[in-house]
Amino acid sequence: DQQVKQNSPSLSVQEGRISILNCDYTNSMFDYFLWYKKYPAEGPTFLISISSIKDKNEDGRFTVFLNKSAKHLSLHIVPSQPGDSAVYFCAASALNTDKLIFGTGTRLQVFP
Amino acid sequence: EPEVTQTPSHQVTQMGQEVILRCVPISNHLYFYWYRQILGQKVEFLVSFYNNEISEKSEIFDDQFSVERPDGSNFTLKIRSTKLEDSAMYFCASRDRVAGNTIYFGEGSWLTVV
């Protein structure tokens, strides 16, 4: 079941620069998308979400972009900080369902 | 900030034994979930629970699994007869009616079946 894909298993970015994490999905019924950050042996921490009626949502250093025609979303972190180093998961949910489908995650490392 | 709390943080059990994982969701939340993550794999949905009944469950959530909300605060996941492949991190989660589908996760309970 590969409905949500994160094709980059890892990303390395210098502190202060922009981090761009990508996510693709296949199910056109998805209408809500979320990004979670996860440290080892901890639960996913909610970062930001976007509804399918929008194409952009911003919260501080985090911006999520949604391109419905391409079935693609991305998370921009700017400026990146060393504390942002973690695994980032995108997740999606569809109309009339209550479950999140997660991607496989991208490990972000922000170095000084 | 309110958070979902889970106990135990880590449990080791022998194959065939029953395990109960406990969760206290965020107090004003109405929807409750269990997810799991097998080491090296992605987070997978197990079950959702609303109004004292299961609203949705995955193929993973077979007859060996059950959930219960025994009182107004706790939400439990029971595995009746654990198998080696049940070894995973189990996450409880919850959401309220207003926040859309933003689900808040607990820290997880790491289950090791030996």
Side-chain angles (χ1 to χ4, degrees):
Chain A
D1 181 356
Q2 292 287 314
Q3 295 186 70
V4 179
K5 302 178 192 178
Q6 293 176 257
N7 291 320
S8 298
S10 65
L11 175 68
S12 190
V13 172
Q14 189 172 31
E15 181 178 7
R17 306 293 289 266
I18 185 171
S19 296
I20 300 176
L21 298 109
N22 294 301
C23 180
D24 297 294
Y25 62 95
T26 56
N27 189 340
S28 58
M29 298 301 290
F30 286 150
D31 69 335
Y32 197 75
F33 304 89
L34 308 90
W35 283 94
Y36 285 87
K37 173 181 177 180
K38 188 179 180 302
Y39 295 112
E42 293 186 12
T45 301
F46 170 72
L47 281 175
I48 192 168
S49 62
I50 188 166
S51 163
S52 60
I53 62 173
K54 295 185 174 181
D55 54 18
K56 176 182 175 182
N57 189 26
E58 190 172 353
D59 184 1
R61 296 186 298 114
F62 302 93
T63 303
V64 56
F65 295 92
L66 175 63
N67 182 334
K68 288 186 289 295
S69 60
K71 294 191 175 66
H72 177 84
L73 66 155
S74 61
L75 174 68
H76 293 210
I77 307 173
V78 56
S80 301
Q81 300 171 354
D84 295 329
S85 297
V87 178
Y88 288 77
F89 291 93
C90 69
S93 67
L95 281 170
N96 301 320
T97 182
D98 204 20
K99 66 181 180 184
L100 295 180
I101 306 296
F102 280 82
T104 49
T106 297
R107 181 177 302 278
L108 173 66
Q109 183 176 9
V110 181
F111 59 93
Chain B
E1 183 175 319
E3 58 182 23
V4 177
T5 57
Q6 291 185 239
T7 55
S9 57
H10 189 195
Q11 182 164 351
V12 181
T13 189
Q14 285 199 321
M15 191 169 55
Q17 295 297 302
E18 177 182 284
V19 161
I20 297 177
L21 305 178
R22 292 182 167 82
C23 169
V24 179
I26 295 173
S27 62
N28 62 338
H29 284 190
L30 300 175
Y31 301 82
F32 313 111
Y33 310 85
W34 285 98
Y35 285 75
R36 79 173 185 188
Q37 185 181 28
I38 294 171
L39 190 64
Q41 299 186 21
K42 59 183 177 180
V43 178
E44 301 174 289
F45 168 79
L46 291 179
V47 66
S48 59
F49 191 87
Y50 170 69
N51 200 25
N52 284 320
E53 60 182 26
I54 291 173
S55 48
E56 193 169 356
K57 60 182 180 179
S58 71
E59 295 174 352
I60 304 167
F61 195 88
D62 61 20
D63 292 344
Q64 293 299 313
F65 291 87
S66 62
V67 289
E68 194 177 34
R69 188 158 161 83
D71 53 42
S73 60
N74 290 288
F75 179 52
T76 62
L77 174 69
K78 181 192 291 186
I79 309 174
R80 288 189 184 81
S81 178
T82 50
K83 303 187 284 287
L84 294 176
E85 54 265 37
D86 294 328
S87 295
M89 181 77 100
Y90 288 81
F91 297 107
C92 176
S94 69
R95 72 173 174 94
D96 65 21
R97 192 192 305 272
V98 175
N101 281 4
T102 300
I103 295 174
Y104 295 89
F105 286 81
E107 295 281 296
S109 293
W110 182 250
L111 176 64
T112 302
V113 182
V114 296

